[in-house]
Amino acid sequence: MSDMLIATPRRTKEIIGKHGFQFKKSLGQNFLIDNNILHKITAAAELDESKGALEIGPGIGALTERLAKEAGKVAAIEIDTRLLPILQEVLEPYPNVRVYHGDVLKYDLHQLWKEYFQGYEKVSVVANLPYYVTTPIIMKLLEEGLPFEHMVVMIQKEVAERMAAAPGTKDYGSLTVAVQYYCETSLVTIVPHTVFIPQPNVDSAVIRLTRRETPAVQVSDERFFFEVVQACFAQRRKTISNNLQSHFSGRMEKERVKELLQTAGIDPVRRGETLSLQEFARLTETLEQALAEGRS
Ligand code: SAM
Protein backbone atom coordinates (compact mmCIF):
# COMPACT_ATOMS: atom_id res chain seq x y z
CA MET A 1 0.00 0.00 0.00
CA SER A 2 1.42 3.43 -0.94
CA ASP A 3 2.21 6.26 1.52
CA MET A 4 -0.11 8.62 -0.33
CA LEU A 5 -2.95 10.24 1.63
CA ILE A 6 -6.29 8.48 1.35
CA ALA A 7 -8.11 11.59 0.09
CA THR A 8 -6.73 11.49 -3.44
CA PRO A 9 -8.49 10.02 -6.49
CA ARG A 10 -5.67 7.53 -7.06
CA ARG A 11 -5.41 6.14 -3.54
CA THR A 12 -9.20 6.04 -3.11
CA LYS A 13 -9.59 4.04 -6.34
CA GLU A 14 -6.72 1.79 -5.28
CA ILE A 15 -8.34 0.99 -1.90
CA ILE A 16 -11.78 0.47 -3.40
CA GLY A 17 -10.38 -1.75 -6.16
CA LYS A 18 -8.25 -3.84 -3.81
CA HIS A 19 -11.23 -4.63 -1.58
CA GLY A 20 -13.79 -4.89 -4.38
CA PHE A 21 -15.91 -2.30 -2.54
CA GLN A 22 -19.25 -1.34 -4.14
CA PHE A 23 -20.80 1.98 -3.08
CA LYS A 24 -24.22 1.86 -1.45
CA LYS A 25 -26.27 4.85 -2.46
CA SER A 26 -28.78 4.10 0.28
CA LEU A 27 -26.06 4.77 2.90
CA GLY A 28 -25.11 8.14 1.39
CA GLN A 29 -21.65 6.94 0.45
CA ASN A 30 -19.79 9.76 -1.29
CA PHE A 31 -16.12 9.71 -0.38
CA LEU A 32 -13.91 12.80 -0.29
CA ILE A 33 -10.92 12.86 -2.60
CA ASP A 34 -9.65 16.41 -2.06
CA ASN A 35 -7.20 17.42 0.63
CA ASN A 36 -7.89 21.15 0.36
CA ILE A 37 -11.47 20.56 1.43
CA LEU A 38 -10.30 18.32 4.27
CA HIS A 39 -8.00 21.10 5.38
CA LYS A 40 -10.88 23.59 5.44
CA ILE A 41 -12.99 21.19 7.49
CA THR A 42 -10.36 20.45 10.13
CA ALA A 43 -9.18 24.09 10.30
CA ALA A 44 -12.74 25.15 11.14
CA ALA A 45 -12.77 22.57 13.97
CA GLU A 46 -9.69 24.24 15.55
CA LEU A 47 -8.14 20.93 16.52
CA ASP A 48 -4.87 20.29 18.30
CA GLU A 49 -3.34 17.45 20.29
CA SER A 50 -5.20 18.38 23.45
CA LYS A 51 -8.58 17.94 21.71
CA GLY A 52 -10.71 15.02 20.61
CA ALA A 53 -12.73 14.46 17.44
CA LEU A 54 -15.81 12.32 16.89
CA GLU A 55 -16.43 11.39 13.26
CA ILE A 56 -19.69 10.00 11.96
CA GLY A 57 -19.37 7.77 8.89
CA PRO A 58 -15.61 7.43 8.24
CA GLY A 59 -16.10 5.62 4.89
CA ILE A 60 -12.60 4.50 3.85
CA GLY A 61 -10.97 6.94 6.26
CA ALA A 62 -10.15 10.05 4.20
CA LEU A 63 -11.20 12.51 6.90
CA THR A 64 -10.34 10.12 9.73
CA GLU A 65 -6.72 10.11 8.63
CA ARG A 66 -6.57 13.89 8.70
CA LEU A 67 -8.26 14.00 12.12
CA ALA A 68 -5.76 11.43 13.44
CA LYS A 69 -2.91 13.73 12.45
CA GLU A 70 -4.44 16.85 13.97
CA ALA A 71 -6.36 15.76 17.09
CA GLY A 72 -5.21 13.91 20.20
CA LYS A 73 -7.84 11.19 19.92
CA VAL A 74 -10.40 10.21 17.30
CA ALA A 75 -13.53 8.05 17.49
CA ALA A 76 -15.35 7.15 14.28
CA ILE A 77 -18.75 5.44 14.05
CA GLU A 78 -19.48 3.52 10.84
CA ILE A 79 -22.65 1.61 10.02
CA ASP A 80 -21.40 -0.40 7.04
CA THR A 81 -19.72 -3.66 8.14
CA ARG A 82 -17.96 -3.97 4.77
CA LEU A 83 -15.89 -0.87 5.58
CA LEU A 84 -14.55 -2.18 8.89
CA PRO A 85 -11.67 -4.32 7.52
CA ILE A 86 -10.72 -1.51 5.13
CA LEU A 87 -10.62 1.01 7.97
CA GLN A 88 -8.60 -1.36 10.09
CA GLU A 89 -6.02 -1.65 7.35
CA VAL A 90 -5.75 1.99 6.26
CA LEU A 91 -5.82 3.41 9.78
CA GLU A 92 -3.30 0.95 11.12
CA PRO A 93 -0.58 3.66 11.35
CA TYR A 94 -2.78 5.76 13.67
CA PRO A 95 -3.06 4.33 17.18
CA ASN A 96 -5.08 7.34 18.36
CA VAL A 97 -8.12 6.26 16.29
CA ARG A 98 -10.85 3.84 17.33
CA VAL A 99 -13.57 2.74 14.92
CA TYR A 100 -16.96 1.83 16.38
CA HIS A 101 -19.50 -0.17 14.43
CA GLY A 102 -23.12 0.95 14.54
CA ASP A 103 -25.86 3.31 13.51
CA VAL A 104 -25.15 6.74 14.95
CA LEU A 105 -28.88 7.37 15.35
CA LYS A 106 -29.09 4.45 17.79
CA TYR A 107 -25.74 4.91 19.44
CA ASP A 108 -25.33 5.89 23.09
CA LEU A 109 -23.02 8.79 22.34
CA HIS A 110 -22.85 10.04 25.93
CA GLN A 111 -21.48 6.69 27.00
CA LEU A 112 -18.89 6.66 24.20
CA TRP A 113 -17.93 10.24 25.04
CA LYS A 114 -17.50 9.50 28.73
CA GLU A 115 -15.43 6.37 28.18
CA TYR A 116 -13.33 7.24 25.18
CA PHE A 117 -12.74 10.96 25.61
CA GLN A 118 -12.13 10.86 29.35
CA GLY A 119 -9.72 13.66 30.25
CA TYR A 120 -10.39 15.57 27.03
CA GLU A 121 -12.05 18.87 27.79
CA LYS A 122 -12.75 19.81 24.21
CA VAL A 123 -14.15 17.41 21.68
CA SER A 124 -15.64 18.36 18.33
CA VAL A 125 -17.86 16.45 15.97
CA VAL A 126 -16.33 16.49 12.49
CA ALA A 127 -17.98 14.65 9.61
CA ASN A 128 -18.92 14.39 5.99
CA LEU A 129 -22.45 13.29 6.79
CA PRO A 130 -24.56 10.77 4.86
CA TYR A 131 -27.09 13.08 3.20
CA TYR A 132 -30.14 10.85 3.66
CA VAL A 133 -30.02 11.42 7.42
CA THR A 134 -28.32 14.80 7.86
CA THR A 135 -31.05 16.51 9.85
CA PRO A 136 -31.91 13.59 12.19
CA ILE A 137 -28.20 13.16 13.03
CA ILE A 138 -27.65 16.85 13.77
CA MET A 139 -30.87 17.12 15.78
CA LYS A 140 -29.95 14.05 17.83
CA LEU A 141 -26.59 15.57 18.79
CA LEU A 142 -28.23 18.88 19.70
CA GLU A 143 -31.24 17.54 21.58
CA GLU A 144 -29.26 14.99 23.54
CA GLY A 145 -27.02 17.82 24.73
CA LEU A 146 -23.78 16.21 23.57
CA PRO A 147 -21.12 18.61 24.93
CA PHE A 148 -19.22 19.20 21.69
CA GLU A 149 -17.14 22.33 21.18
CA HIS A 150 -17.81 22.64 17.45
CA MET A 151 -19.76 20.52 15.04
CA VAL A 152 -18.17 20.92 11.60
CA VAL A 153 -20.14 18.99 9.03
CA MET A 154 -20.39 18.64 5.29
CA ILE A 155 -24.06 18.59 4.34
CA GLN A 156 -26.38 19.52 1.44
CA LYS A 157 -25.95 23.20 0.57
CA GLU A 158 -29.71 23.85 0.93
CA VAL A 159 -29.76 22.42 4.45
CA ALA A 160 -26.68 24.44 5.44
CA GLU A 161 -28.36 27.59 4.16
CA ARG A 162 -31.48 26.84 6.19
CA MET A 163 -29.46 26.30 9.35
CA ALA A 164 -27.55 29.58 8.97
CA ALA A 165 -30.52 31.68 7.71
CA ALA A 166 -31.56 35.06 9.10
CA PRO A 167 -35.20 35.96 9.90
CA GLY A 168 -37.14 37.34 6.96
CA THR A 169 -35.41 35.14 4.37
CA LYS A 170 -36.94 32.23 2.47
CA ASP A 171 -34.56 29.75 4.09
CA TYR A 172 -35.58 30.66 7.65
CA GLY A 173 -37.75 27.98 9.24
CA SER A 174 -38.19 25.63 12.19
CA LEU A 175 -34.82 23.95 11.47
CA THR A 176 -33.11 27.37 11.65
CA VAL A 177 -34.72 28.13 15.00
CA ALA A 178 -33.88 24.70 16.41
CA VAL A 179 -30.22 24.89 15.38
CA GLN A 180 -29.71 28.53 16.36
CA TYR A 181 -31.37 27.94 19.73
CA TYR A 182 -28.46 25.66 20.67
CA CYS A 183 -25.62 26.95 18.48
CA GLU A 184 -23.94 29.82 16.69
CA THR A 185 -23.69 28.97 13.02
CA SER A 186 -21.20 29.89 10.33
CA LEU A 187 -20.99 28.72 6.77
CA VAL A 188 -17.39 27.54 6.19
CA THR A 189 -17.36 26.87 2.46
CA ILE A 190 -19.42 25.74 -0.51
CA VAL A 191 -18.14 22.50 -2.03
CA PRO A 192 -18.24 21.41 -5.70
CA HIS A 193 -19.47 17.93 -6.76
CA THR A 194 -16.03 17.10 -8.13
CA VAL A 195 -14.41 16.45 -4.75
CA PHE A 196 -16.34 13.21 -4.19
CA ILE A 197 -16.36 9.66 -5.56
CA PRO A 198 -19.09 9.03 -6.66
CA GLN A 199 -20.31 12.59 -7.21
CA PRO A 200 -23.56 13.41 -5.36
CA ASN A 201 -26.36 15.06 -7.33
CA VAL A 202 -26.82 17.92 -4.87
CA ASP A 203 -24.51 20.80 -3.99
CA SER A 204 -22.68 20.59 -0.69
CA ALA A 205 -21.44 22.97 1.97
CA VAL A 206 -19.45 22.81 5.17
CA ILE A 207 -21.13 24.42 8.16
CA ARG A 208 -19.81 24.99 11.66
CA LEU A 209 -22.14 24.91 14.66
CA THR A 210 -20.60 26.08 17.93
CA ARG A 211 -22.54 25.11 21.02
CA ARG A 212 -23.71 28.09 23.08
CA GLU A 213 -23.05 27.93 26.81
CA THR A 214 -26.73 28.63 27.37
CA PRO A 215 -29.46 28.53 24.71
CA ALA A 216 -29.99 31.70 22.66
CA VAL A 217 -33.23 32.48 24.51
CA GLN A 218 -34.60 31.54 27.90
CA VAL A 219 -37.89 29.62 27.94
CA SER A 220 -39.49 27.78 30.83
CA ASP A 221 -40.61 24.80 28.74
CA GLU A 222 -38.36 23.87 25.79
CA ARG A 223 -40.82 21.33 24.41
CA PHE A 224 -43.60 23.89 24.29
CA PHE A 225 -41.24 26.43 22.66
CA PHE A 226 -40.52 23.99 19.81
CA GLU A 227 -44.21 23.11 19.56
CA VAL A 228 -45.06 26.80 19.05
CA VAL A 229 -42.24 27.23 16.51
CA GLN A 230 -43.41 24.18 14.52
CA ALA A 231 -46.98 25.44 14.64
CA CYS A 232 -46.01 28.88 13.32
CA PHE A 233 -44.31 27.27 10.30
CA ALA A 234 -46.98 24.59 9.73
CA GLN A 235 -48.19 26.35 6.57
CA ARG A 236 -45.59 28.85 5.49
CA ARG A 237 -47.96 30.95 3.43
CA LYS A 238 -50.40 31.42 6.29
CA THR A 239 -50.13 34.14 8.92
CA ILE A 240 -48.94 33.24 12.42
CA SER A 241 -52.41 33.93 13.67
CA ASN A 242 -53.97 31.40 11.28
CA ASN A 243 -51.35 28.77 11.98
CA LEU A 244 -51.68 29.14 15.75
CA GLN A 245 -55.48 29.17 15.57
CA SER A 246 -55.44 25.80 13.78
CA HIS A 247 -52.86 24.40 16.15
CA PHE A 248 -54.64 25.45 19.35
CA SER A 249 -58.20 24.87 18.13
CA GLY A 250 -60.18 23.26 20.93
CA ARG A 251 -57.75 24.63 23.47
CA MET A 252 -58.15 28.35 22.74
CA GLU A 253 -60.68 30.67 21.05
CA LYS A 254 -59.55 32.20 17.74
CA GLU A 255 -59.92 35.75 19.04
CA ARG A 256 -57.90 34.86 22.12
CA VAL A 257 -54.98 33.77 19.91
CA LYS A 258 -55.00 37.18 18.22
CA GLU A 259 -55.15 39.02 21.52
CA LEU A 260 -52.23 37.04 22.88
CA LEU A 261 -50.14 37.75 19.81
CA GLN A 262 -50.79 41.42 20.42
CA THR A 263 -49.92 41.04 24.11
CA ALA A 264 -46.60 39.51 23.01
CA GLY A 265 -46.05 42.54 20.74
CA ILE A 266 -46.36 40.53 17.51
CA ASP A 267 -48.63 41.61 14.67
CA PRO A 268 -50.99 38.64 14.02
CA VAL A 269 -50.69 39.05 10.24
CA ARG A 270 -46.95 38.43 10.21
CA ARG A 271 -45.61 35.10 8.94
CA GLY A 272 -43.48 32.71 10.99
CA GLU A 273 -40.40 33.35 8.89
CA THR A 274 -40.20 36.97 10.10
CA LEU A 275 -40.00 36.19 13.82
CA SER A 276 -36.68 36.33 15.65
CA LEU A 277 -35.82 33.72 18.31
CA GLN A 278 -36.54 36.36 20.97
CA GLU A 279 -40.02 36.90 19.53
CA PHE A 280 -40.71 33.16 19.44
CA ALA A 281 -39.63 32.94 23.08
CA ARG A 282 -41.86 35.85 24.11
CA LEU A 283 -44.79 34.36 22.24
CA THR A 284 -44.21 30.97 23.88
CA GLU A 285 -44.23 32.45 27.37
CA THR A 286 -47.41 34.43 26.66
CA LEU A 287 -49.25 31.40 25.25
CA GLU A 288 -48.08 29.15 28.04
CA GLN A 289 -49.25 31.55 30.71
CA ALA A 290 -52.66 31.91 29.05
CA LEU A 291 -53.09 28.13 28.76
CA ALA A 292 -52.09 27.68 32.42
CA GLU A 293 -54.61 30.37 33.49
CA GLY A 294 -57.29 28.70 31.39
CA ARG A 295 -56.68 25.44 33.21
CA SER A 296 -56.73 26.91 36.71
N1 SAM B 1 -16.03 10.29 5.85
C1 SAM B 1 -15.92 9.65 4.56
C2 SAM B 1 -15.41 10.65 3.56
O1 SAM B 1 -15.53 11.85 3.82
O2 SAM B 1 -14.88 10.24 2.53
C3 SAM B 1 -17.26 9.07 4.09
C4 SAM B 1 -18.44 10.02 4.08
S1 SAM B 1 -19.90 9.37 3.34
C5 SAM B 1 -20.69 10.86 2.83
C6 SAM B 1 -20.96 8.90 4.71
C7 SAM B 1 -20.53 7.69 5.52
O3 SAM B 1 -21.48 7.49 6.58
C8 SAM B 1 -20.48 6.38 4.77
O4 SAM B 1 -19.30 5.70 5.08
C9 SAM B 1 -21.71 5.59 5.28
O5 SAM B 1 -21.55 4.19 5.25
C10 SAM B 1 -21.81 6.11 6.72
N2 SAM B 1 -23.15 6.05 7.31
C11 SAM B 1 -24.36 6.14 6.68
N3 SAM B 1 -25.38 6.08 7.57
C12 SAM B 1 -24.80 5.98 8.80
C13 SAM B 1 -25.34 5.86 10.11
N4 SAM B 1 -26.66 5.88 10.33
N5 SAM B 1 -24.47 5.72 11.15
C14 SAM B 1 -23.11 5.71 10.93
N6 SAM B 1 -22.57 5.82 9.70
C15 SAM B 1 -23.38 5.95 8.65
Side-chain angles (χ1 to χ4, degrees):
M1 187 62 65
S2 70
D3 305 331
M4 225 195 305
L5 291 169
I6 299 170
T8 58
R10 209 175 105 202
R11 179 89 193 279
T12 297
K13 284 179 190 151
E14 187 182 300
I15 296 170
I16 286 169
K18 180 179 167 200
H19 293 269
F21 181 78
Q22 306 267 344
F23 291 95
K24 257 196 200 155
K25 215 175 161 190
S26 62
L27 289 178
Q29 291 177 336
N30 304 98
F31 297 166
L32 270 169
I33 49 163
D34 184 317
N35 260 291
N36 293 324
I37 297 294
L38 286 184
H39 173 68
K40 286 187 185 165
I41 296 175
T42 54
E46 300 178 316
L47 298 168
D48 62 45
E49 283 197 351
S50 72
K51 298 186 180 181
L54 169 66
E55 187 187 2
I56 295 158
I60 58 163
L63 175 57
T64 330
E65 176 178 56
R66 177 117 203 167
L67 294 171
K69 289 175 193 256
E70 293 190 24
K73 226 173 169 189
V74 182
I77 305 175
E78 175 56 59
I79 199 170
D80 189 345
T81 336
R82 301 171 308 152
L83 289 167
L84 302 179
I86 305 183
L87 286 164
Q88 193 176 19
E89 181 180 307
V90 298
L91 297 174
E92 205 252 336
Y94 306 101
N96 59 339
V97 177
R98 190 181 298 167
V99 175
Y100 292 82
H101 177 226
D103 176 349
V104 69
L105 290 175
K106 298 187 184 139
Y107 225 87
D108 184 346
L109 296 173
H110 279 283
Q111 186 65 20
L112 183 158
W113 205 272
K114 217 168 60 196
E115 280 173 13
Y116 186 71
F117 291 118
Q118 200 177 31
Y120 280 77
E121 256 180 50
K122 293 189 170 166
V123 179
S124 288
V125 174
V126 189
N128 168 19
L129 289 178
Y131 291 173
Y132 75 106
V133 277
T134 307
T135 310
I137 293 176
I138 294 178
M139 290 315 296
K140 172 184 159 97
L141 304 191
L142 295 176
E143 286 168 357
E144 289 186 355
L146 208 66
F148 58 82
E149 180 186 19
H150 302 296
M151 178 174 358
V152 181
V153 280
M154 170 100 73
I155 56 179
Q156 304 90 313
K157 179 167 158 275
E158 289 68 24
V159 181
E161 284 166 348
R162 276 162 51 206
M163 290 183 177
T169 62
K170 71 166 177 28
D171 292 326
Y172 189 81
S174 53
L175 181 65
T176 319
V177 177
V179 167
Q180 295 187 11
Y181 176 78
Y182 296 108
C183 295
E184 284 176 24
T185 62
S186 73
L187 208 56
V188 176
T189 186
I190 304 291
V191 180
H193 300 244
T194 47
V195 303
F196 302 94
I197 293 183
Q199 297 187 6
N201 31 23
V202 293
D203 290 327
S204 306
V206 177
I207 191 170
R208 178 170 79 174
L209 312 181
T210 304
R211 193 177 267 291
R212 300 178 191 274
E213 278 187 18
T214 54
V217 289
Q218 303 302 310
V219 288
S220 37
D221 181 349
E222 254 177 33
R223 276 211 358 236
F224 188 60
F225 172 72
F226 288 116
E227 181 187 328
V228 171
V229 171
Q230 292 280 357
C232 290
F233 287 108
Q235 295 210 38
R236 288 186 72 97
R237 283 163 42 173
K238 282 193 173 178
T239 62
I240 325 177
S241 175
N242 278 335
N243 273 324
L244 289 176
Q245 282 170 354
S246 321
H247 184 77
F248 288 108
S249 81
R251 281 193 277 172
M252 217 182 258
E253 294 294 324
K254 286 188 174 182
E255 275 312 302
R256 185 78 180 123
V257 171
K258 268 194 188 162
E259 274 168 34
L260 290 170
L261 277 162
Q262 270 147 355
T263 310
I266 296 161
D267 188 338
V269 301
R270 285 172 63 186
R271 298 191 196 305
E273 70 212 43
T274 69
L275 264 67
S276 66
L277 265 72
Q278 287 70 19
E279 288 176 309
F280 276 119
R282 215 162 60 222
L283 176 59
T284 303
E285 298 302 291
T286 310
L287 288 166
E288 197 186 342
Q289 226 173 8
L291 285 169
E293 279 162 16
R295 278 194 293 268
S296 61

